[in-house]
Amino acid sequence: MPEISKKGQKMPESPIRKLVPFSEAAKKKGRKVYHLNIGQPDIETPEVALNAIRNYDEKVVAYSHSAGNISYRKKLVEYYKANKINVTADDIIIGAGASEAILFAMNSCLDEGDEIIIPEPFYANYNGFATNAGVDVKPIPSAIDNGFALPPISNFEEAITDRTKAIMICNPNNPTGYLYSREELETLRELVLKYDLFLFADEVYREFTYDGHKHFSVMELDGLDDHVIMIDSVSKRYSACGFRIGCMVSRNKQVISTALKFAQARLSPPSFGQVAAEAALDTPKEYFDNVMDEYFARRNIVVEEINQMDGAYCPKPKGAFYVVAKLPIDNADRFCQWLLEDFEYENQTVMLAPATGFYSTPGSGRQEVRISYVLNVEDLKKAMKTLDEALKAYPGREI
Amino acid sequence: MPEISKKGQKMPESPIRKLVPFSEAAKKKGRKVYHLNIGQPDIETPEVALNAIRNYDEKVVAYSHSAGNISYRKKLVEYYKANKINVTADDIIIGAGASEAILFAMNSCLDEGDEIIIPEPFYANYNGFATNAGVDVKPIPSAIDNGFALPPISNFEEAITDRTKAIMICNPNNPTGYLYSREELETLRELVLKYDLFLFADEVYREFTYDGHKHFSVMELDGLDDHVIMIDSVSKRYSACGFRIGCMVSRNKQVISTALKFAQARLSPPSFGQVAAEAALDTPKEYFDNVMDEYFARRNIVVEEINQMDGAYCPKPKGAFYVVAKLPIDNADRFCQWLLEDFEYENQTVMLAPATGFYSTPGSGRQEVRISYVLNVEDLKKAMKTLDEALKAYPGREI
């Protein structure tokens, strides 16, 4: 039997997936499992997008332009303009989700053995994309004590080697919910210019900001046209994960023309998803107002409830729909499995994501979990009560 | 400005894309351009598939299973069974087109610097996928004189090195239309076992066979469960290129579990496309009967007409909807550009794909073009007449 690739052996498995069989077993026992482990929102996809699909009237579902339909990209230009991001349709390549866009960006900018610096904890699949592209991730720790703010620039400088080609951030952040300030991004700007690096910014949670704070995009930074690659997606914005529509945006012509070669090899992004995503740009403001009110209420419940649990701590993040909380536990992986395998409170339990999977430094995040607040307020309260009871009952309790 | 990657610099550009500006310029001059250069069929997508999209009634367009919806994979199992291919739903991973499935397969089986042997001419984008995965393509020439039959096994053996991990075929073949016989595949079977290699087979044109010939799949070969990875797609079968739905199929559990890690990193394949593709499996037999009658008539016209042109030769392939023809020209790239830039017959011209782009050996295919018969019979006849006139007028004529 021929051997599979070393790259394939090295591909990380999602830390959440390991828990799926335990979750299924719990459900088989008749237990209600509150899913706080995933980034799949429960919010309805906007009607205007679904109607576009229902009214689809092409006779032949053909390939689109490899960079995506020009009508969609032109409309995206208007959307970005309204968000203070000035780009042209030629600066945008539509991908099958942000996932494909990240692969295009990594493959266009980094070679096997090159390094990308990412503050940790970070979105676990960045590891998979990096392994896919043969790129080494160099983590810089951020800390729960300051809410996972941008680590000091000196820490980045210490990590830079002659193989470092890029820095990557996610803003607002998955998994921490942290919203980088303009000031923090300006310090990154200096760093990127000083060392002539690419700056990748995953901004898929742009609209999800709270307490009156606004997102500031890396695309707004001066003098970084050749450095910045912004990653975007419709998945969270319109609760449209299944569209598989995202994009990469850059004013660096060489990056775009290179990424386009990768895009051309795979012919085109999904046609139906593009039609729905283009229509989604007409989603009425009230939709977002309602969604943001809902997430705002949920965030407050999660943060308040966790901070009332004995020995637990949760910062109050300004963005996205995640928190990383510190719990009085010996081992987050063990605890999350125990919740599904051995625990129940009034025949309910919760599924959480161990934060260990979001760190690339071994041992980090051992006492932390990521909570996605993708349940309605009522369920969320029940889930928090269940978690509170679980912490009291957990045999591996450790402050 | 940071440098783009060496991999990105190495990514090949599609040889057809270079001609697009010339085609657009010709159209601007008011010229009718017959597109025989692309694999985008003109056939209508089955109603049953489009209706499934029009009746889409989910409220939240969520991620699907990373390997694809289980309902779709189960139905695919039935489809394969009807095609004498026995597999389970767990042997199938749905991708965003065959393109993504090929990337999953290459990344799971080959590392940077490993080699894959492919008979040439071959589908040009295999070069792009190989470059993307860091894999080296080793071409084995097939010849127009015997209709591009499988090259002698001794030629494969000569090309095998200690970096060779896989052999790849496309059957029926794009660009040649050649349909490999069971006997040819049995010789490949021996080779693959002898050298312990993976065998990748792109079988997306399975249904497109003529003159009573039937497709024989590599999945039907005995004792190759650990070696064979079959690539499939709905794009051509249902004229559904925009669905972006394909799959990889293998009975090798380790290959599937490895590929699944790549699939999980990008979360899921397109949801709308999967719904449409699942419904497409109910396409009535009459649809295919009509489509095959149509392609059969087209193939006959193209082959007969070209063979009547002075100095031209075209084999009569048994499959797909392409032919590679030899023309009395000095340089296929130059000829194809000249057709668009300088030629017109009754204000019409044709766009062809230079075969050079389908060879990886420099200089090969210099006198050959690929013709996709994706136009209706009437237009195809006009296009052939136009090509005939063009060959008479071309200044670089060379027998």
Side-chain angles (χ1 to χ4, degrees):
Chain A
M1 173 172 154
E3 246 185 87
I4 62 159
S5 66
K6 287 177 194 71
K7 181 193 276 189
Q9 292 173 44
K10 211 180 135 191
M11 265 302 278
E13 251 186 301
S14 156
I16 302 170
R17 304 241 165 218
K18 285 182 211 156
L19 294 172
V20 171
F22 299 104
S23 155
E24 281 165 11
K27 284 177 204 163
K28 270 199 185 138
K29 284 188 227 164
R31 244 165 239 174
K32 166 83 184 162
V33 179
Y34 293 108
H35 284 274
L36 301 171
N37 57 299
I38 44 166
Q40 168 61 58
D42 60 323
I43 304 287
E44 289 189 7
T45 310
E47 270 297 304
V48 66
L50 292 173
N51 284 340
I53 283 300
R54 293 180 190 129
N55 296 326
Y56 186 88
D57 65 354
E58 300 284 337
K59 295 276 185 201
V60 183
V61 188
Y63 292 121
S64 73
H65 190 293
S66 294
N69 289 327
I70 184 67
S71 58
Y72 178 39
R73 285 182 287 137
K74 280 185 174 168
K75 214 161 157 183
L76 270 178
V77 167
E78 295 308 308
Y79 161 79
Y80 285 125
K81 207 172 176 180
N83 283 277
K84 298 185 189 165
I85 296 169
N86 290 311
V87 290
T88 70
D90 292 338
D91 300 334
I92 302 170
I93 295 179
I94 307 299
S99 301
E100 191 181 51
I102 292 172
L103 279 175
F104 287 162
M106 284 194 177
N107 278 317
S108 299
C109 299
L110 292 94
D111 281 302
E112 173 136 341
D114 283 347
E115 296 167 0
I116 186 164
I117 296 175
I118 315 181
E120 68 176 357
F122 57 80
Y123 176 55
N125 285 323
Y126 294 163
N127 272 322
F129 302 135
T131 304
N132 193 330
V135 168
D136 293 328
V137 171
K138 296 288 158 181
I140 305 273
S142 68
I144 195 165
D145 315 318
N146 61 8
F148 301 104
L150 192 74
I153 289 297
S154 58
N155 293 11
F156 283 90
E157 293 201 270
E158 280 161 26
I160 290 173
T161 73
D162 52 5
R163 292 310 298 265
T164 307
K165 286 290 297 283
I167 288 170
M168 181 159 193
I169 59 166
C170 178
N171 183 32
N173 193 273
N174 175 4
T176 68
Y178 188 81
L179 180 70
Y180 292 108
S181 68
R182 176 171 188 157
E183 290 65 38
E184 285 174 309
L185 295 176
E186 294 285 359
T187 64
L188 271 185
R189 175 185 173 276
E190 295 304 316
L191 181 76
V192 158
L193 286 172
K194 181 171 171 189
Y195 293 93
D196 201 22
L197 303 174
F198 287 110
L199 176 58
F200 292 8
D202 177 344
E203 302 188 348
V204 307
Y205 298 97
R206 178 178 302 113
E207 279 80 4
F208 299 85
T209 60
Y210 311 109
D211 310 320
H213 294 280
K214 284 281 159 238
H215 176 255
F216 181 85
S217 171
V218 292
M219 297 294 293
E220 296 177 69
L221 291 167
D222 278 335
L224 285 196
D225 286 2
D226 284 338
H227 301 263
V228 161
I229 297 161
M230 190 260 281
I231 303 294
D232 212 340
S233 165
V234 304
S235 292
K236 315 295 166 162
R237 187 167 303 139
Y238 308 111
S239 193
C241 300
F243 289 13
R244 306 317 297 131
I245 296 294
C247 62
M248 63 175 279
V249 183
S250 179
R251 299 190 191 96
N252 181 323
K253 303 283 176 220
Q254 217 182 343
V255 165
I256 289 292
S257 68
T258 303
L260 194 55
K261 292 192 287 180
F262 289 96
Q264 286 169 348
R266 65 66 162 126
L267 303 166
S268 72
S271 291
F272 295 128
Q274 285 185 80
V275 167
E278 182 173 334
L281 287 166
D282 291 324
T283 301
K285 187 178 168 299
E286 300 77 58
Y287 174 90
F288 291 106
D289 291 345
N290 291 336
V291 170
M292 294 312 145
D293 286 352
E294 174 70 22
Y295 278 121
F296 177 74
R298 294 176 182 186
R299 182 205 59 168
N300 293 347
I301 289 166
V302 169
V303 171
E304 281 158 29
E305 298 280 335
I306 290 176
N307 283 321
Q308 280 171 22
M309 295 175 199
D310 189 31
Y313 171 66
C314 183
K316 193 174 190 176
K318 296 173 192 154
F321 43 68
Y322 308 98
V323 299
V324 168
K326 192 175 175 190
L327 302 180
I329 51 175
D330 58 342
N331 179 308
D333 290 270
R334 208 176 296 153
F335 175 66
C336 293
Q337 184 174 329
W338 173 86
L339 281 170
L340 297 166
E341 230 185 346
D342 299 310
F343 177 75
E344 57 94 13
Y345 169 72
E346 295 182 352
N347 209 25
Q348 308 164 104
T349 191
V350 291
M351 186 165 175
L352 309 175
T356 46
F358 300 98
Y359 285 89
S360 119
T361 304
S364 290
R366 199 177 50 88
Q367 289 198 301
E368 298 170 9
V369 295
R370 184 191 73 174
I371 292 174
S372 318
Y373 40 97
V374 290
L375 297 182
N376 63 58
V377 166
E378 191 124 325
D379 282 352
L380 209 49
K381 282 180 181 164
K382 287 186 204 155
M384 287 298 111
K385 173 69 180 162
T386 307
L387 176 59
D388 191 21
E389 294 298 328
L391 287 173
K392 291 175 195 164
Y394 182 54
R397 188 174 172 91
E398 193 173 283
I399 301 281
Chain B
M1 173 173 154
E3 245 185 87
I4 62 160
S5 66
K6 287 176 193 75
K7 182 193 275 189
Q9 292 173 45
K10 212 181 135 191
M11 266 301 278
E13 253 186 298
S14 156
I16 301 169
R17 303 243 165 214
K18 285 183 211 158
L19 293 173
V20 170
F22 298 105
S23 155
E24 280 165 10
K27 282 176 203 162
K28 270 199 185 137
K29 284 188 226 165
R31 242 166 241 172
K32 167 81 184 162
V33 179
Y34 293 108
H35 283 274
L36 301 172
N37 57 300
I38 44 166
Q40 168 61 57
D42 59 323
I43 304 287
E44 289 189 6
T45 310
E47 269 297 302
V48 67
L50 292 173
N51 283 340
I53 282 301
R54 292 179 190 129
N55 296 326
Y56 186 87
D57 65 354
E58 300 284 336
K59 295 276 184 198
V60 183
V61 187
Y63 292 122
S64 74
H65 190 292
S66 293
N69 289 328
I70 185 66
S71 59
Y72 178 39
R73 284 182 288 137
K74 280 186 174 168
K75 214 161 156 181
L76 270 179
V77 167
E78 295 307 309
Y79 160 80
Y80 285 125
K81 206 172 178 183
N83 283 276
K84 298 185 188 162
I85 297 169
N86 291 310
V87 290
T88 71
D90 292 337
D91 300 334
I92 302 171
I93 296 179
I94 307 299
S99 301
E100 191 181 50
I102 291 172
L103 280 175
F104 287 161
M106 283 191 177
N107 278 317
S108 299
C109 299
L110 292 94
D111 281 302
E112 173 136 340
D114 283 346
E115 295 167 0
I116 187 165
I117 296 175
I118 316 181
E120 68 176 354
F122 58 80
Y123 177 55
N125 285 324
Y126 293 163
N127 272 323
F129 302 135
T131 305
N132 193 330
V135 169
D136 294 328
V137 171
K138 297 288 158 181
I140 307 272
S142 68
I144 196 166
D145 314 317
N146 60 9
F148 301 104
L150 191 74
I153 290 297
S154 57
N155 293 11
F156 284 89
E157 293 201 89
E158 280 162 25
I160 290 173
T161 74
D162 52 4
R163 292 309 299 265
T164 306
K165 286 289 298 282
I167 289 170
M168 181 160 192
I169 58 166
C170 179
N171 182 32
N173 193 274
N174 175 5
T176 68
Y178 189 80
L179 179 71
Y180 292 109
S181 68
R182 176 171 188 157
E183 290 65 38
E184 285 174 308
L185 295 177
E186 293 286 359
T187 64
L188 271 185
R189 177 185 171 276
E190 295 303 316
L191 182 76
V192 158
L193 286 172
K194 182 171 171 188
Y195 292 94
D196 201 23
L197 303 173
F198 287 110
L199 176 59
F200 292 8
D202 176 345
E203 302 189 347
V204 307
Y205 297 97
R206 178 178 303 114
E207 279 80 3
F208 298 85
T209 60
Y210 310 108
D211 311 320
H213 293 281
K214 283 282 160 237
H215 177 256
F216 181 84
S217 170
V218 291
M219 297 294 293
E220 296 177 69
L221 291 167
D222 278 335
L224 286 196
D225 286 2
D226 283 338
H227 302 263
V228 161
I229 297 160
M230 191 260 282
I231 303 294
D232 212 340
S233 165
V234 304
S235 293
K236 316 294 166 162
R237 187 167 306 140
Y238 309 111
S239 193
C241 299
F243 289 14
R244 307 314 300 131
I245 294 295
C247 63
M248 64 176 278
V249 183
S250 178
R251 299 190 192 96
N252 181 323
K253 303 282 176 220
Q254 215 182 346
V255 165
I256 289 292
S257 69
T258 303
L260 194 56
K261 291 192 287 182
F262 289 96
Q264 285 169 347
R266 64 64 162 129
L267 303 166
S268 72
S271 291
F272 295 128
Q274 285 185 81
V275 167
E278 183 173 334
L281 286 166
D282 291 324
T283 301
K285 187 178 169 296
E286 300 77 58
Y287 174 90
F288 290 106
D289 291 345
N290 291 335
V291 169
M292 294 313 145
D293 286 352
E294 174 69 23
Y295 278 122
F296 177 74
R298 293 175 182 186
R299 182 205 60 169
N300 292 347
I301 289 166
V302 168
V303 171
E304 280 159 29
E305 297 279 336
I306 291 177
N307 282 322
Q308 280 170 23
M309 295 175 200
D310 190 31
Y313 170 66
C314 182
K316 192 172 191 175
K318 295 173 194 156
F321 44 67
Y322 307 100
V323 298
V324 169
K326 192 175 175 190
L327 303 180
I329 51 176
D330 58 342
N331 180 310
D333 290 271
R334 207 176 296 153
F335 175 66
C336 293
Q337 184 175 329
W338 174 86
L339 281 170
L340 297 165
E341 227 183 349
D342 300 309
F343 177 74
E344 57 94 11
Y345 168 71
E346 294 182 351
N347 209 25
Q348 307 163 105
T349 191
V350 292
M351 185 164 174
L352 309 175
T356 46
F358 301 98
Y359 286 88
S360 119
T361 304
S364 288
R366 200 177 49 88
Q367 290 197 300
E368 297 171 10
V369 295
R370 184 191 73 172
I371 292 174
S372 317
Y373 40 96
V374 291
L375 298 182
N376 65 57
V377 166
E378 192 125 323
D379 281 352
L380 208 49
K381 282 181 181 165
K382 286 186 204 155
M384 287 299 112
K385 172 69 181 163
T386 307
L387 176 59
D388 191 22
E389 295 298 326
L391 287 173
K392 290 176 196 163
Y394 182 54
R397 188 175 171 90
E398 194 176 280
I399 300 283

